[in-house]
Amino acid sequence: MLTREDALRILKENVKDEKLIKHMLAVEAIMKELAKRLNEDENIYALVGLLHDIDFEKTKENPEMHGKLSVEILKDFLSEDMKRAILSHNFERTGIEPKSKMEYALIASDAISGLIITCALILPSKKLIDVTPNFVANRFKQKDFARNCKRERILLCKELRIIENEFFEIALNALKNIANELCL
C-alpha cells in the first residue's frame, strides 16, 4: 500500500496551491479520526482524505472530470474501494453515488473542513484552539455563514450513525491536532 510519504510526494507533484494542500491535510486528519470512531482502517481513510482533490487544479474548469482524473493519476497506488470513494465525493458529476462508510465519510469530511476553518478565521485569534463544537454548531445553523459550505453534505455524517454535534467535535479535534500544519 502507498505510504503517507509517497502520497505527499505525489500530491506535491500534482498540487501547487498551498491552500488546497492545507485543505487536503485537513480532510486527511478528519478522515483519520472518523476511521478511529468507526473502527475502520485509519491509514486507508487518511490516504483517501489526503488525495481526494489531487486533480482539482487540473479539473476546476471541467468539474465533470474531478475525481476521474484523480483515479487515473492514482490508479496504480490505491485499491478499488479507495478510488470509488474519491469518485463518489463528486457524485453529482461522476454519477458514482456514495454507498460505503468511507464514501460518506469523505463527502462529510470534505464539507466540514471548510466550515470549521471559516469558523476559526472569523475569530480575533484566527486559531482553531478557540473554536468550540457549539460555535461550529451555531454557525452551521446560520445559512448565510460560509455560504459555499454545503450543509447537506455535512449531514451525510448521519449515514455513519454519527449525529452532527458529535461529528463537529470529531472534526474539530482532528483539525486542532494539526493546527500548526494548517497555520491556524
Side-chain angles (χ1 to χ4, degrees):
M1 180 166 52
L2 190 65
T3 66
R4 184 175 191 270
E5 293 73 30
D6 287 337
L8 283 170
R9 179 184 49 76
I10 295 167
L11 184 152
K12 290 182 180 178
E13 288 170 1
N14 287 276
V15 180
K16 303 304 173 211
D17 182 330
E18 285 299 317
K19 278 181 135 176
L20 181 56
I21 291 171
K22 286 178 182 177
H23 163 70
M24 294 164 77
L25 291 169
V27 177
E28 172 194 32
I30 297 167
M31 286 289 285
K32 187 172 185 175
E33 288 302 311
L34 277 176
K36 285 180 195 174
R37 166 64 173 73
L38 298 168
N39 295 315
E40 296 291 336
D41 188 309
E42 293 173 37
N43 293 323
I44 289 174
Y45 272 55
L47 283 172
V48 167
L50 182 63
L51 297 170
H52 79 285
D53 275 345
I54 199 166
D55 69 356
F56 189 80
E57 290 176 334
K58 296 173 183 162
T59 62
K60 61 183 162 191
E61 300 302 320
N62 188 5
E64 285 74 27
M65 288 302 297
H66 180 47
K68 294 176 183 176
L69 182 57
S70 292
V71 167
E72 184 61 30
I73 293 166
L74 300 165
K75 68 181 175 197
D76 297 329
F77 304 107
L78 302 181
S79 65
E80 291 305 313
D81 60 327
M82 294 167 83
K83 290 185 255 187
R84 191 178 192 294
I86 290 171
L87 286 168
S88 74
H89 99 279
N90 187 23
F91 67 92
E92 301 91 342
R93 299 255 167 66
T94 64
I96 306 298
E97 293 288 328
K99 62 180 183 179
S100 74
K101 285 192 257 183
M102 183 166 42
E103 293 162 8
Y104 287 115
L106 179 59
I107 295 165
S109 297
D110 191 22
I112 193 68
S113 68
L115 180 68
I116 292 173
I117 288 170
T118 304
C119 285
L121 292 174
I122 67 165
L123 295 174
S125 68
K126 298 192 182 327
K127 297 291 181 190
L128 285 164
I129 194 72
D130 296 325
V131 179
T132 65
N134 283 341
F135 188 78
V136 175
N138 289 335
R139 294 302 177 265
F140 176 81
K141 293 174 191 168
Q142 294 177 346
K143 302 301 180 213
D144 61 335
F145 179 79
R147 286 188 192 120
N148 292 333
C149 177
K150 295 181 176 148
R151 283 148 173 85
E152 68 278 4
R153 292 172 73 88
I154 292 171
L155 291 175
L156 289 176
C157 66
K158 293 177 182 179
E159 296 293 330
L160 305 171
R161 299 182 184 204
I162 299 174
I163 60 170
E164 60 226 52
N165 287 340
E166 181 185 1
F167 184 54
F168 299 155
E169 188 170 352
I170 291 167
L172 179 58
N173 288 336
L175 295 184
K176 285 180 178 182
N177 289 336
I178 64 161
N180 288 338
E181 286 179 77
L182 300 176
C183 301
L184 293 171

